[in-house]
Amino acid sequence: MARRSSDPARVREKILKLAIEEFARIGFEGARVDRIAERCGLSKNMLYYYFKSKEGLFVAALERMYEDFRNQQSDLSVRASDPVLALKQLIEHTFVALESNPNAIRLLNEENKHRGKYIRKSKRIRELYNPLVETLSFILERGSRDGIFRSGLDPAVVYLTLSSLCYHYLSNQYTLENALNKDLSSASSREHWLKHVTDLVLQYCVLDPGVALERKSNAKVLAVTPG
């Protein structure tokens, strides 16, 4: 039996990395704990020591995937930007995060195949989503206060819209390429789609251009009018 490592954090990370690859490649049913353990140079019992079960390992893999995905949607820059630029950045971050991590798409497809059965067992999923929702709420509320965005926008609806448009293009690109006879994998095609998504989401969020311009003009007049 393999001895317990003196660096459990490093071992846990190695297991998670290889487990994500295994689950993304052949799904939950096809994945084998003994194969993951062998690739890690560990006994299967040692892997169970860290994650208790195959199900526990899959839940941990999903959590790590979400964690990495959220890190690529960092809110530091978007919170410091003006609302329109902030929303553009968030859309771009979402698309790039999916584009650069195909395993995330495969794991999401796998978990949705199971109707969210395993992610419901996670105690961390809400804490991983909350910062994103808070950031988007911050952007939309500030845009509304500035007279740029419509009031009452639901951040969940806005995120569902932008993430769906980003996700579907990448998750279904091979079938869509054949069905539509279009190249969806080229840099120019993806750049065009990202611009299209951004335009659509902004069109939904932004007030009528004339109203937004009028509000800005009124704000300027109030700022220079003597009290």
Side-chain angles (χ1 to χ4, degrees), residues 151-199:
S151 61
L153 289 168
D154 185 339
V157 171
V158 174
Y159 184 70
L160 275 170
T161 303
L162 70 90
S163 65
S164 299
L165 290 167
C166 293
Y167 186 90
H168 185 74
Y169 180 98
L170 295 167
S171 67
N172 289 39
Q173 73 174 74
Y174 302 110
T175 52
L176 289 170
E177 279 183 334
N178 283 280
L180 302 175
N181 193 29
K182 287 183 68 71
D183 174 19
L184 302 181
S185 60
S186 68
S188 60
S189 293
R190 294 189 172 193
E191 182 180 345
H192 177 77
W193 183 252
L194 178 57
K195 182 181 183 304
H196 178 63
V197 173
T198 303
D199 289 345

Side-chain angles (χ1 to χ4, degrees), residues 27-61:
F28 179 78
E29 288 91 352
R32 294 289 177 265
V33 171
D34 51 358
R35 185 162 51 224
I36 297 169
E38 183 180 358
R39 290 185 65 197
C40 292
L42 298 171
S43 70
K44 188 160 63 172
N45 286 340
M46 185 62 71
L47 189 146
Y48 285 139
Y49 166 79
Y50 284 97
F51 295 99
K52 310 301 182 187
S53 64
K54 179 181 178 180
E55 182 179 287
L57 180 57
F58 186 54
V59 171

Side-chain angles (χ1 to χ4, degrees), residues 21-166:
E21 293 176 4
E22 177 89 357
F23 288 126
R25 186 171 63 89
I26 50 181
F28 179 78
E29 288 91 352
R32 294 289 177 265
V33 171
D34 51 358
R35 185 162 51 224
I36 297 169
E38 183 180 358
R39 290 185 65 197
C40 292
L42 298 171
S43 70
K44 188 160 63 172
N45 286 340
M46 185 62 71
L47 189 146
Y48 285 139
Y49 166 79
Y50 284 97
F51 295 99
K52 310 301 182 187
S53 64
K54 179 181 178 180
E55 182 179 287
L57 180 57
F58 186 54
V59 171
L62 289 169
E63 289 175 342
R64 174 49 51 85
M65 178 272 295
Y66 275 108
E67 186 177 6
D68 292 342
F69 190 63
R70 293 294 166 251
N71 286 340
Q72 288 185 268
Q73 292 176 308
S74 171
D75 68 347
L76 295 177
S77 59
V78 297
R79 279 179 176 263
S81 307
D82 71 83
V84 172
L85 180 58
L87 189 52
K88 286 182 177 180
Q89 287 178 333
L90 184 58
I91 296 168
E92 182 178 3
H93 288 181
T94 301
F95 187 82
V96 171
L98 287 167
E99 181 183 34
S100 61
N101 191 359
N103 279 341
I105 291 176
R106 297 184 188 111
L107 283 176
L108 287 167
N109 286 344
E110 178 67 12
E111 179 58 0
N112 277 289
K113 185 179 78 174
H114 293 283
R115 299 175 179 267
K117 172 183 176 180
Y118 298 105
I119 202 62
R120 279 198 295 271
K121 300 177 186 296
S122 171
K123 297 178 181 179
R124 299 188 57 217
I125 186 63
R126 292 290 173 83
E127 75 180 49
L128 291 170
Y129 258 97
N130 284 343
L132 173 67
V133 175
E134 289 171 2
T135 293
L136 188 50
S137 296
F138 177 87
I139 293 169
L140 298 176
E141 288 170 7
R142 186 174 60 183
S144 177
R145 288 198 308 269
D146 292 348
I148 299 171
F149 292 160
R150 295 190 293 116
S151 61
L153 289 168
D154 185 339
V157 171
V158 174
Y159 184 70
L160 275 170
T161 303
L162 70 90
S163 65
S164 299
L165 290 167
C166 293

Side-chain angles (χ1 to χ4, degrees), residues 209-221:
V211 175
L213 182 61
E214 181 181 351
R215 288 194 178 191
K216 284 189 174 183
S217 298
N218 290 340
K220 287 180 180 178
V221 169

